[in-house]
Amino acid sequence: MLSKAQIKYIQSLQHKKNRQKSSQYVAEGDKIVQELLQAGMPVKGVFATADWLEQHTALLDRLPAGAVVAVDTTVLKQLSSLTTPNRAMALLDMPAPVDPLPAAGTVVLALEAIQDPGNMGTLIRIADWFGISQIICSPDCVDVYNPKTIQATMGSIIRVRIAEYDIRELLQQTSLPSYAATLHGKNIADFPVMKEGIILIGNEGRGLTEEVIRLATHQITIPRLGGAESLNAAVAAGIICGRLLI
């Protein structure tokens, strides 16, 4: 059974400042918790319904005594940031910071001012799908450890390293080619398959800043055939990765 203090602490992790202070975050969802346990991630606690715990005893055996707690749906609703809570939730330590500067021969996704947690989670899933192992986020992006972002990754958060870094400084310091997604660039179909480089995706409403676009070595565009003004940032990233990486 969770104490009132434990419940209050887990609830506090819905806020970025508390996650940063404690270097811990929560992940909600049956599939995500299973994947975290299977991958040997630093899970500090699992809070789930009794039937869920019974179904996954083999995954829970490695956790220390007291780290696995059966809770009813009422308590899960208290802990959850979701309207309809899942049957399982995990408490984890954040991974150690990674070097934001990409290595030669790699492809990374660089995100500027992404604000929507669902978009961020989907972008992490897209990176995972296309074998991109690192994402670089500008400091004004939504927190990748936001519970809604974690859920939207559907487990991909365990396979993609995330670094926070100023995108302008990144472009000034790297020798890798960079590809800025804009409305007025060169058709992505005209580019060969990428072997290395940085794919730049901007804010949902404003796109990339002019300075970042100027610093990029290439400006790329998804040709528009209809009347829509723009594409969702995650949708655009998926199309660009599908064309440039395959």
Side-chain angles (χ1 to χ4, degrees):
M1 182 175 178
L2 287 174
S3 68
K4 288 183 179 180
Q6 288 173 310
I7 291 173
K8 186 176 180 180
Y9 173 71
I10 295 166
Q11 289 173 328
S12 76
L13 297 179
Q14 293 178 19
H15 302 287
K16 181 178 180 178
K17 65 178 182 179
N18 295 323
R19 292 192 293 270
Q20 291 178 326
K21 183 178 179 180
S22 64
S23 295
Q24 291 191 319
Y25 68 101
V26 293
E28 300 184 48
D30 299 1
K31 182 179 185 296
I32 296 174
V33 175
Q34 287 182 61
E35 286 206 34
L36 291 167
L37 291 166
Q38 289 168 345
M41 296 294 284
V43 175
K44 311 306 288 186
V46 173
F47 320 111
T49 58
D51 61 321
W52 191 92
L53 295 177
E54 187 175 349
Q55 292 169 14
H56 301 93
T57 52
L59 288 175
L60 299 166
D61 284 346
R62 71 174 186 83
L63 297 182
V68 179
V69 182
V71 294
D72 60 29
T73 53
T74 301
V75 174
L76 277 174
K77 191 168 184 177
Q78 285 182 273
L79 301 177
S80 177
S81 62
L82 307 175
T83 304
T84 304
N86 290 277
R87 294 191 301 153
M89 175 184 289
L91 174 68
L92 298 97
D93 287 335
M94 289 183 182
V98 299
D99 184 353
L101 297 179
T106 63
V107 174
V108 302
L109 194 60
L111 309 176
E112 186 181 36
I114 297 297
Q115 297 298 298
D116 183 80
N119 267 344
M120 179 62 79
T122 303
L123 285 159
I124 294 170
R125 287 177 68 188
I126 288 167
D128 187 23
W129 180 267
F130 287 103
I132 296 173
S133 61
Q134 181 172 338
I135 289 178
I136 302 164
C137 297
S138 64
D140 53 351
C141 278
V142 64
D143 183 18
V144 296
Y145 296 107
N146 180 301
K148 292 179 181 178
T149 297
I150 296 294
Q151 188 185 47
T153 71
M154 295 298 290
S156 290
I157 190 70
I158 68 178
R159 290 178 290 274
V160 180
R161 295 176 294 121
I162 314 289
E164 184 177 293
Y165 203 67
D166 185 278
I167 303 301
R168 294 164 300 179
E169 291 186 26
L170 167 71
L171 296 177
Q172 290 168 342
Q173 294 173 17
T174 184
S175 60
L176 292 179
S178 51
Y179 301 77
T182 74
L183 292 175
H184 308 291
K186 187 177 178 181
N187 189 332
I188 56 172
D190 295 336
F191 288 85
V193 173
M194 284 179 64
K195 300 301 182 182
E196 63 177 4
I198 302 167
I199 298 172
L200 296 155
I201 303 294
N203 175 267
E204 292 91 342
R206 304 184 303 274
L208 293 164
T209 58
E210 287 300 322
E211 187 173 0
V212 165
I213 293 172
R214 286 197 302 271
L215 289 169
T217 54
H218 305 284
Q219 294 182 35
I220 58 175
T221 295
I222 301 166
R224 176 172 55 186
L225 303 180
E229 289 186 2
S230 62
L231 283 173
N232 170 278
V235 171
I239 294 170
I240 290 168
C241 289
R243 178 59 187 83
L244 295 184
L245 299 181
I246 296 175

